[in-house]
Amino acid sequence: MNTNPLAAVRNLGILAHVDAGKTTVTERILFATGTTHRRGEVHDGTTVTDFDSQERDRGITIFAAAVSCAWDGHRVNLIDTPGHVDFADEVERSLRVLDGAVAVFDAVAGVEPQSESVWRQADRHGVPRIAFVNKLDRAGADLDTAVESIRERLHPAPLVVQLPIGSEDAFTGVVDLLRMRALTWPDGGDTVHEGPVPTALREEAARRRRLLEETVAELHPGALEEFCARSALDTPTLVDALRDLTRTGDGVVVLCGSAYRNRGIEPLLDAVVAYLPSPLDVPAVRGTHDDEVTERAADPQAPFAALAFKVNATPTGRLTYLRVYSGTIEKGAAVMDAGARRTERIGRILRVQADRHAQLERAVAGDIVAVVGLKSARPGSTLCAPGAPLVLEPPSAAEPVVSVA
Ligand code: GDP
């Protein structure tokens, strides 16, 4: 077990075609993690992550570029990625700062044009992904058809780890094929109930588990060895192999549910923690100074370097959202805006938690925070220690983590 606290951080984005349910999934994640205590609905204008006039009215940032939540001993920083193609630049910028993503698909429409283009962008940035097939409660929803469209149009091998229980209006939960347990969300309830696999689904669940084991064995040399020796894979081996395949991009773990009905969000969060990388698992970033290229790993002791990815004017002040790549920054410290070659002082350091800001004394490598007090930084600016200047390279010049077919 890794004792470095960074191992328990997930910098996560949610990618989707407009209308697939990105806002609803985000909202339900905030609710499931206790970040908000009321379920917002898209149609009644109460969602936390969608911009609305409450921001001005209440003097707090409701539309945040990054919201921090807690799940199973991990800190999940949820980074907003615009869903609309018109914001392709903003999508690019947010893809630079996240370490992993959940791609949300509509269970009726499957892969749609924007899901395809954002998938390709994520490929270019080497962002490992898992897939969530949403809206299983809709008429015409079909997990298998959606999974086929992922295979045909996006190309990674789908690694389906759940079997839906019931369909359309009667969709009540999923069989977790790793633990062979049924997870259900009884009507009106917000909490997941765990129980034995329903008798009628046992055969199908066993068949799908077998299929998952065979697919993983085909793709993963270590798993293949065990599969050949025992003609089966035990669950820990399967989980390890699924993590590896997610990180290489050779396979995509597929989960399903209905965000609107609040079904499937807890297992999705478990999968985020299990399969997506921490800041320690991603390659060091590269930066240049006077034509010299240096690498910066996620090391709190290294010189400070961060990328500004969003600037929001709020009643709290001008908030600059930063991804810290290396080093540690204390509140009140001087930093250099490497492009503008200007040194400024960082005022407060904030972690945004839906409707409030937690004030921090410092931010370390791997963190996503908002800082107050910077005047010149723009989205895309590098901030660094004045004694160790560098400009972070655009990621297209860095080695991809994910091999693109
Ligand atoms: P976004 O554009 O990707 O952010 O999608 P939204 O979260 O705004 O959802 C688009 C529409 O689909 C809204 O009317 C949601 O209420 C609806 N929706 C989201 N998730 C589900 C779901 O699981 N089932 C059904 N039936 N509708 C959903």
Side-chain angles (χ1 to χ4, degrees), residues 16-24 42 134-135 137-138 258-260:
H17 182 94
V18 66
D19 255 14
K22 188 180 72 135
T23 310
T24 312
V42 172
N134 187 34
K135 303 197 185 185
D137 61 306
R138 274 186 69 190
S258 162
Y260 184 71

Side-chain angles (χ1 to χ4, degrees), residues 152-165:
E152 277 169 22
R153 295 181 59 180
L154 307 179
H155 307 305
L159 306 164
V160 184
V161 296
Q162 295 174 337
L163 166 67
I165 302 176

Side-chain angles (χ1 to χ4, degrees), residues 296 299-305 325-328 385 388:
R296 293 281 179 86
D299 174 5
Q301 311 302 331
F304 175 73
Y325 284 99
S326 68
T328 301

Side-chain angles (χ1 to χ4, degrees), residues 159 177-180 209-242 245:
L159 306 164
L177 298 175
L178 294 172
R179 296 185 304 132
M180 280 300 182
R209 160 78 186 220
R210 180 82 191 160
L211 186 66
L212 176 64
E213 290 181 23
E214 285 168 1
T215 312
V216 166
E218 260 172 43
L219 297 168
H220 191 278
L224 178 63
E225 210 173 291
E226 181 172 325
F227 193 77
C228 290
R230 298 183 39 240
S231 65
L233 288 181
D234 62 21
T235 298
T237 309
L238 205 46
V239 169
D240 285 348
L242 290 173
L245 294 171

Side-chain angles (χ1 to χ4, degrees), residues 170-195:
F171 168 67
T172 53
V174 295
V175 175
D176 173 349
L177 298 175
L178 294 172
R179 296 185 304 132
M180 280 300 182
R181 300 285 285 166
L183 307 176
T184 52
W185 289 264
D187 256 339
D190 287 324
T191 41
V192 55
H193 285 236
E194 194 180 317

Side-chain angles (χ1 to χ4, degrees), residues 48 50-64 312-317 319 321 350 352-358:
V48 175
D50 261 0
F51 179 84
D52 62 46
S53 60
Q54 291 179 60
E55 175 173 23
R56 283 183 295 276
D57 296 346
R58 289 159 57 188
I60 47 178
T61 306
I62 290 177
F63 178 72
N312 273 356
T314 74
T316 310
L319 286 189
Y321 285 85
L350 307 172
V352 182
Q353 294 165 327
D355 58 356
R356 69 207 129 92
H357 299 134

